[in-house]
Amino acid sequence: MFAGKLYYLSNIYFQEEGGESMSVFTEEILDRYKREIILKAKWTYDSIVEGLGVWNAIAEGKHDGKAEEVIRRFVSGITYAMSIVRILNVAGARNSSRAQIRVDAIKNKWPNLPDAPQGLKQIRDDLEHFEERLDTWAFTSSSHSIVDLNLGMSPEGLGSFFGVEEKELLRNVDLENNFLFWNHKVKLKEVLDWAQKLKEEIEK
């Protein structure tokens, strides 16, 4: 583990260790992170747009598909988006020292990158730890009803009408294009806009 202070000199990033300086990040190395962020931003955008396109086609009777085909694409977009968030943040990194150097270098190079949409991390955590959410449902649901893989619904309306509990609401999307899980949500349009703005900012 490195010890000491981080310095920025001529686009090369140094970590002082035991009185010596070690070159850590160069422009070439930063470019590799840049290309990865751009790639994941494109995958995020494309996945969500494809999901919306399939949803519209189903609604118009032009596609004999199922809601799970749409939600699968939304889940992919959310997963790609969160992989960008992990590049841009230290939280959750196994090697926090290296992660901090990486994050500082990226933010020094591109100081105006937009913040991730509210709710993105929580929804992604719900999806990644789906088995734990099912465990909670299995042990706490009184009726063991389950509402999953639905499009164009409202958790508030469904809950009040059918008496569905919060932990029985899993992967659903409402009419305002919010991806819902329990009482958590992320606006898919905000994820789209964020991915596009991020790509534009880092390509400058």
Side-chain angles (χ1 to χ4, degrees):
M1 182 179 294
F2 290 124
K5 296 181 180 180
L6 179 68
Y7 298 96
Y8 303 99
L9 298 172
S10 304
N11 295 322
I12 301 176
Y13 303 86
F14 292 92
Q15 183 74 19
E16 190 178 69
E17 181 184 23
E20 298 181 358
S21 293
M22 176 181 292
S23 175
V24 180
F25 271 73
T26 64
E27 286 289 349
E28 290 74 17
I29 293 175
L30 271 175
D31 185 67
R32 186 62 189 85
Y33 285 94
K34 171 183 175 179
R35 287 186 283 128
E36 186 66 18
I37 292 170
I38 291 171
L39 179 65
K40 293 295 177 58
K42 182 179 185 301
W43 287 358
T44 298
Y45 189 91
D46 289 350
S47 295
I48 295 175
V49 167
E50 287 172 10
L52 292 171
V54 174
W55 187 358
N56 288 334
I58 292 173
E60 295 171 0
K62 298 177 181 178
H63 190 287
D64 186 22
K66 298 179 180 179
E68 65 184 65
E69 295 183 36
V70 177
I71 291 177
R72 173 174 61 83
R73 289 171 169 83
F74 291 159
V75 168
S76 293
I78 290 168
T79 302
Y80 294 138
M82 197 60 205
S83 69
I84 300 172
V85 173
R86 288 190 167 185
I87 293 174
L88 301 177
N89 291 272
V90 177
R94 294 183 179 180
N95 188 320
S96 59
S97 298
R98 290 181 178 178
Q100 188 65 63
I101 294 171
R102 176 233 308 150
V103 170
D104 288 346
I106 291 173
K107 291 185 176 180
N108 182 71
K109 178 69 175 180
W110 299 285
N112 298 315
L113 297 180
D115 293 331
Q118 183 177 2
L120 175 62
K121 183 180 185 303
Q122 184 60 68
I123 289 291
R124 195 270 183 180
D125 287 348
D126 291 332
L127 296 171
E128 181 178 12
H129 303 289
F130 190 79
E131 76 289 349
E132 295 178 7
R133 306 303 187 259
L134 277 181
D135 289 343
T136 299
W137 166 81
F139 285 94
T140 65
S141 173
S142 58
S143 66
H144 287 117
S145 299
I146 197 163
V147 181
D148 189 28
L149 301 175
N150 294 284
L151 298 172
M153 58 162 285
S154 165
E156 295 83 4
L158 189 65
S160 62
F161 190 80
F162 293 102
V164 176
E165 299 173 13
E166 174 186 294
K167 296 302 187 287
E168 295 169 346
L169 293 164
L170 304 182
R171 299 160 297 191
N172 301 286
V173 183
D174 67 15
L175 286 172
E176 297 180 351
N177 293 339
N178 293 306
F179 193 102
L180 313 167
F181 199 115
W182 288 2
N183 64 332
H184 310 140
K185 70 177 181 180
V186 64
K187 294 182 180 295
L188 292 170
K189 186 180 185 306
E190 290 185 0
V191 179
L192 275 177
D193 292 343
W194 172 74
Q196 187 65 22
K197 290 176 182 177
L198 185 71
K199 182 174 179 291
E200 291 173 356
E201 184 67 32
I202 207 167
E203 285 181 329
K204 288 182 179 178

